[in-house]
Amino acid sequence: MATFDLVIRGGTIVDGTGEERFAGDVAIKDGLIAQIGTVTGDGAEEIDATGKIVTPGFVDIHTHYDGQATWDQEMAPSSWHGVTTVVMGNCGVGFAPARKDQHDWLIGLMEGVEDIPGTALAEGITWDWETFPEYLDALEKLPRTVDVGTHVPHGAVRAYVLGDREGPGAVPTDEDIAAMADIVEDGVRAGALGFSTSRTVLHKDVEGVLVPGTTATAEELVELGRAMGRAGHGVFEMASDLQRDWNEFEWMGNLSRETGLPVTFAALQSIAKELPLDEQIETMRAENDNGANIIAQIALRGNGIIMAWQGTVHPFVYRPSWQAIAELPWTEQKAKLLDPAFKAQLLSEANDYSDAPPDILPVVAVITQGWAMQYEMDPDFDYEPTDEESVQTRASSAGVDGQEYAYDMLCREDATGFIYLPILNYADKNLDFLHPLQHSDDTVNSLSDGGAHCGTICDAASPTFMLQHWVRDRKRGGRITLENAIKRQCNDTARLYGLEDRGVLSPGYLADVNVIDMDALKLGKPWLAFDLPAGGRRLLQKADGYVFTIKNGQVTFRDGTWTGEAPGGLIRGPQRAELAEAAE
């Protein structure tokens, strides 16, 4: 009889601690790491990892699979990129608690904020819950390729308590806030990993109404954070415009000091944020120097809109000729778009911004005429593009104007071309500012938005980008070490949420493992699929180089293909390290 269930032999082990890589074997038994180093016993299954790196499974703490996790076992695209644990319910949007007459409203909130097709959510979600604990019970029923954990979302909580009174500027009574706090406390005690909210004008429901948290007072937010404190664990997560007069860091610091719990926020270069990124970090560190525990979530590349004719946006959405065909079936749209007469007519028109949201007109302007900030997505596209790769420069070289070049780009490959617009995190047209932040204990790699922005953003591949670009290929500045990259995507993300049973390859930890061919690692070209319920659209991106992904000791992906195994489950609350200590 074999000593172990699985042995991975001869790989280069990068164990997630940040310590130097080493050659060795990994033995797995009963879903846990059993031995590391030289393994003499046999495995019922053996994997030859010669020439490959062996890492913990990636822990992605900023996703939006709240609906998809109720029907989808594969959990793509995150699971295609070595992710074995996701945390969802971010940015204050989610589907519990939920009264029966609020289902459509919650779907509209998620569709507006996270660009997930409402038709897909309406068909895919079964709504066999009302309270947040009941939602956790529903999540627990479906096995998946990954473990899922979630926050209690502010939007759903506020709507549940305020009902028809919920809206921008709504002022909850003391009784309302107490009722919301009870829901948060109950949710965290039932197993939520934290609470989330959103306070940015970029987040609106499908009708263009600001999300519930935007106008909440600091007093309301702190009281909901205190509810987590009473439950004894949890992370307070927030997206915010960080307006100076809101004093966000002051109340975040006070909440963290009072409860002893971490507060985390999306730290970005953004036209919606009054505070520049370096000032965000400086102000956070001033609070932390005074005893707070605030963590900045950083993205590792520009948060880029991928524009396509069939996507959510493209540069011509405000042209009258496009508006005239916007509701036609794709075959009819494509015929028009490829017609030279239609092209000439559309390019002769001015943008009609009468229906554009006035508070995001700067964003709209960049989308519709920012040729110097838009880039052609070549087959070997570098997500740190130079001015020479911009639409404007390439148009000049081709002897045409920017709009014509952009139109022709979108029409390539049978009208399936893409344009990349890094709307956030690319103000300097390079990623140099992110290099020091990847060596800071008060930042965490995040903001993939896996499962969301189905027609605009495709960043669930962030772990792959980290390894391909930041560790191996970056040409325009400093790189990071493989050891640091793995630590940040595994150990650091897991520890922030109290998941002390994963993120490290050591005896007693969960057997969540990747076997990766770093030489072959390569992001594929994104594509638009229509495979969500009701034919819903989503951008997808795969990668070469993931030889094996293992979850709880079972091989879930082999050479990038799902094996059909679904050993993942629901995470309820912090997962402590006693397991590892007992096994050592």
Side-chain angles (χ1 to χ4, degrees), residues 188-427:
V188 173
R189 289 189 185 280
L193 297 181
F195 168 83
S196 72
T197 192
S198 173
R199 294 161 61 70
T200 169
V201 296
L202 297 179
H203 285 172
K204 299 176 180 177
D205 70 14
V206 73
E207 302 296 333
V209 178
L210 290 170
V211 301
T214 312
T215 56
T217 64
E219 290 75 17
E220 175 184 338
L221 297 169
V222 168
E223 195 57 43
L224 299 182
R226 285 172 175 154
M228 288 197 308
R230 290 193 294 274
H233 73 269
V235 176
F236 191 113
E237 185 273 335
M238 177 179 69
S240 172
D241 289 338
L242 300 174
Q243 299 297 327
R244 292 185 189 278
D245 59 353
W246 291 355
N247 294 320
E248 300 278 57
F249 287 99
E250 180 180 347
W251 69 256
M252 284 194 284
N254 289 336
L255 174 62
S256 174
R257 282 184 286 268
E258 178 183 335
T259 63
L261 299 178
V263 179
T264 184
F265 72 102
L268 293 159
Q269 286 182 345
S270 170
I271 60 175
K273 295 184 189 296
E274 191 175 350
L275 296 181
L277 179 61
D278 56 356
E279 190 173 345
Q280 297 171 37
I281 300 299
E282 179 184 342
T283 310
M284 173 192 74
R285 287 175 175 166
E287 291 291 337
N288 288 346
D289 287 343
N290 196 27
N293 182 14
I294 307 174
I295 304 294
Q297 295 194 20
I298 61 169
L300 295 188
R301 68 186 187 196
N303 290 78
I305 296 175
I306 295 179
M307 299 191 287
W309 290 126
Q310 289 184 279
T312 301
V313 296
H314 55 72
F316 306 104
V317 289
Y318 290 103
R319 303 291 178 102
S321 289
W322 169 260
Q323 292 294 324
I325 68 168
E327 301 303 321
L328 293 178
W330 170 238
T331 53
E332 296 179 37
Q333 281 184 343
K334 183 171 71 172
K336 288 282 190 181
L337 293 166
L338 297 178
D339 179 358
F342 180 87
K343 171 186 171 182
Q345 174 62 35
L346 183 144
L347 294 182
S348 72
E349 298 168 349
N351 289 300
D352 178 4
Y353 295 137
S354 57
D355 293 331
D359 53 354
I360 61 168
L361 275 177
V363 176
V364 171
V366 172
I367 290 171
T368 56
Q369 51 192 317
W371 312 123
M373 296 177 62
Q374 299 181 18
Y375 302 91
E376 183 168 6
M377 295 193 77
D378 298 320
D380 294 318
F381 181 67
D382 185 334
Y383 285 88
E384 193 173 4
T386 64
D387 283 337
E388 287 69 30
E389 298 166 271
S390 71
V391 170
Q392 179 172 288
T393 300
R394 291 193 173 180
S396 296
S397 298
V400 299
D401 62 13
Q403 65 167 358
E404 182 174 359
Y405 194 86
Y407 189 102
D408 290 343
M409 284 169 57
L410 295 175
C411 286
R412 289 176 188 162
E413 298 185 51
D414 201 30
T416 63
F418 291 117
I419 296 174
Y420 178 72
L421 169 58
I423 199 72
L424 304 172
N425 260 15
Y426 213 62

Side-chain angles (χ1 to χ4, degrees), residues 6-29:
L6 175 64
V7 177
I8 303 166
R9 295 206 184 268
T12 298
I13 297 171
V14 187
D15 66 8
T17 65
E19 296 298 320
E20 189 172 348
R21 71 195 78 177
F22 58 94
D25 310 325
V26 178
I28 295 168
K29 188 174 181 62

